[in-house]
Amino acid sequence: MKQLLVIFTAATLLSACNNNKSDSAEVQQAKQMAIDSMKMEAKVQQAKQSAIDSMRMEEVKKEESVDKNDKTASNSLTAVHEKGSAVVASNASPTVSTPSASSETAAPVVHKKKKKMSNTVKGALIGAGVGAISGAVIDKNRPGKGAVIGGLIGAGVGAGTGAIIDKKERQRGN
């Protein structure tokens, strides 16, 4: 019986060693896959950046061509005006520039200011949190009920305190 146990243990150890080698190959393969995916992600990022750069270059070229067209049209209109001829509109460039199209893409993004949270709301939130924690600690037999009651009382007291602070700030502003 001892011999069977020794043979079984030896077979288990040998098979475990063999599995480690295959696990090692699997680990190496997983590492290589991770490296490959990182390289692909870098290539994707580089492609995105090059697309963005080319779009910006096209935008600059369009703005330059619009500026050139505007100067050409204004120069021909000025020359016509100086000659006193009213039929010069046919000689003007037929290209019509739309300043709104170029200004929309080049205009800076205007961020709306976040609306500041009033002191009443802040007080209610803080009071509800503190009240819920306090209520749960005080009522050890039924902490859920204590948290609800404490939260409601705390929210009321906090909202009242915040309303008083808001009123004082309005009075200072006037």
Side-chain angles (χ1 to χ4, degrees), residues 14-30:
L14 290 175
S15 66
C17 292
N18 289 336
N19 285 340
N20 284 342
K21 290 180 183 177
S22 65
D23 287 342
S24 176
E26 290 175 3
V27 168
Q28 290 296 330
Q29 186 179 9

Side-chain angles (χ1 to χ4, degrees), residues 117-144:
M117 191 183 307
S118 70
N119 290 325
T120 305
V121 175
K122 286 181 190 175
L125 290 173
I126 293 170
V130 172
I133 292 170
S134 300
V137 170
I138 291 171
D139 192 0
K140 292 181 182 178
N141 294 334
R142 291 181 277 172

Side-chain angles (χ1 to χ4, degrees), residues 2-174:
K2 285 184 180 181
Q3 289 178 344
L4 287 175
L5 184 60
V6 170
I7 293 173
F8 180 73
T9 305
T12 305
L13 289 174
L14 290 175
S15 66
C17 292
N18 289 336
N19 285 340
N20 284 342
K21 290 180 183 177
S22 65
D23 287 342
S24 176
E26 290 175 3
V27 168
Q28 290 296 330
Q29 186 179 9
K31 286 180 182 178
Q32 187 61 40
M33 288 175 60
I35 291 170
D36 291 343
S37 67
M38 290 173 156
K39 288 179 182 177
M40 286 298 280
E41 187 173 334
K43 288 180 182 178
V44 168
Q45 289 294 336
Q46 187 178 12
K48 285 181 182 179
Q49 188 61 40
S50 65
I52 291 170
D53 292 342
S54 67
M55 291 171 133
R56 287 184 181 160
M57 291 301 293
E58 287 179 18
E59 183 179 309
V60 169
K61 288 178 183 177
K62 284 181 183 178
E63 288 177 1
E64 289 175 355
S65 67
V66 167
D67 290 342
K68 287 179 183 177
N69 288 339
D70 287 344
K71 289 178 183 177
T72 305
S74 64
N75 288 342
S76 64
L77 289 176
T78 305
V80 170
H81 182 65
E82 290 174 358
K83 291 180 181 179
S85 173
V87 188
V88 181
S90 63
N91 292 339
S93 173
T95 306
V96 178
S97 66
T98 56
S100 61
S102 63
S103 64
E104 286 177 9
T105 56
V109 178
V110 178
H111 295 286
K112 292 183 179 179
K113 291 183 180 178
K114 286 186 177 180
K115 190 173 181 181
K116 186 178 176 184
M117 191 183 307
S118 70
N119 290 325
T120 305
V121 175
K122 286 181 190 175
L125 290 173
I126 293 170
V130 172
I133 292 170
S134 300
V137 170
I138 291 171
D139 192 0
K140 292 181 182 178
N141 294 334
R142 291 181 277 172
K145 182 180 177 183
V148 170
I149 293 171
L152 291 173
I153 293 170
V157 172
T161 306
I164 292 170
I165 294 171
D166 279 339
K167 185 178 178 182
K168 286 183 180 179
E169 284 183 357
R170 275 183 269 151
Q171 287 176 350
R172 281 187 223 152
N174 290 335

